[in-house]
Amino acid sequence: MFYTLLEAAGTAGAADGAAPGVGGGFMWISLIIMVVIFYFMIIRPQKKQQKEQEAMMAQLKPGVSIMTTSGFYGVVLDVVDDTVIVEFGNNKNCRIPMNKAAVAQIDKPEAETAEDTEEEEKKEKKDKKMSLGKKKDE
């Protein structure tokens, strides 16, 4: 079918007095440019988003605060394969098993992240001191 469209375009040009097949190269170039634009605007961002989603799913563990795709906030109690058991609110009886895909984002309290960075800095300083001490001994 595509070949017949090209052939029809070539004969239409011949009827106008132009050489048959003129503009066929331009059509192929424009088609290739459209495919490249399609790739960079749709496929590539989708793959990037999928990688980010997989990285977020790898961070799911008990005790992590999450927000679901429906906007509910909860705390993860258990992670089993593709299922996450989430506790919502202060009521300990509201535990709902959900699919991992229903997790929209992972929330980390600012105090917790500040503590984590402080602990990491302390560990790095300790490691540097130990490595300097070992170099002096040698």
Side-chain angles (χ1 to χ4, degrees), residues 74-127:
V75 177
V76 175
L77 296 178
D78 193 19
V79 179
V80 180
D81 296 329
D82 288 339
T83 306
V84 179
I85 299 175
V86 182
E87 180 179 78
F88 295 101
N90 294 330
N91 187 357
K92 301 292 182 193
N93 294 328
C94 187
R95 297 176 178 180
I96 301 175
M98 314 179 81
N99 194 337
K100 276 186 177 180
V103 176
Q105 70 183 33
I106 296 176
D107 295 331
K108 287 190 175 181
E110 292 180 20
E112 185 178 304
T113 56
E115 289 174 5
D116 290 343
T117 55
E118 288 176 9
E119 289 176 13
E120 289 175 8
E121 288 175 1
K122 288 179 183 178
K123 286 180 184 178
E124 288 176 7
K125 287 180 182 178
K126 197 177 210 181
D127 290 340

Side-chain angles (χ1 to χ4, degrees), residues 1-135:
M1 180 174 164
F2 187 71
Y3 181 72
T4 56
L5 291 174
L6 289 176
E7 189 176 351
T11 57
D16 294 339
V22 173
F26 177 73
M27 186 174 71
W28 281 107
I29 291 172
S30 62
L31 181 66
I32 291 171
I33 290 173
M34 287 174 47
V35 169
V36 169
I37 290 172
F38 182 78
Y39 174 78
F40 281 106
M41 292 190 71
I42 295 176
I43 296 173
R44 193 170 180 214
Q46 184 179 4
K47 285 183 181 182
K48 183 179 177 183
Q49 184 179 15
Q50 186 177 9
K51 286 181 183 180
E52 290 173 356
Q53 185 79 10
E54 289 174 2
M56 183 180 66
M57 293 301 158
Q59 293 177 353
L60 281 177
K61 59 185 176 188
V64 173
S65 295
I66 63 166
M67 183 181 82
T68 63
T69 53
S70 57
F72 292 113
Y73 288 90
V75 177
V76 175
L77 296 178
D78 193 19
V79 179
V80 180
D81 296 329
D82 288 339
T83 306
V84 179
I85 299 175
V86 182
E87 180 179 78
F88 295 101
N90 294 330
N91 187 357
K92 301 292 182 193
N93 294 328
C94 187
R95 297 176 178 180
I96 301 175
M98 314 179 81
N99 194 337
K100 276 186 177 180
V103 176
Q105 70 183 33
I106 296 176
D107 295 331
K108 287 190 175 181
E110 292 180 20
E112 185 178 304
T113 56
E115 289 174 5
D116 290 343
T117 55
E118 288 176 9
E119 289 176 13
E120 289 175 8
E121 288 175 1
K122 288 179 183 178
K123 286 180 184 178
E124 288 176 7
K125 287 180 182 178
K126 197 177 210 181
D127 290 340
K128 286 181 182 178
K129 287 180 182 178
M130 294 182 107
S131 64
L132 290 175
K134 289 179 182 178
K135 288 181 181 178

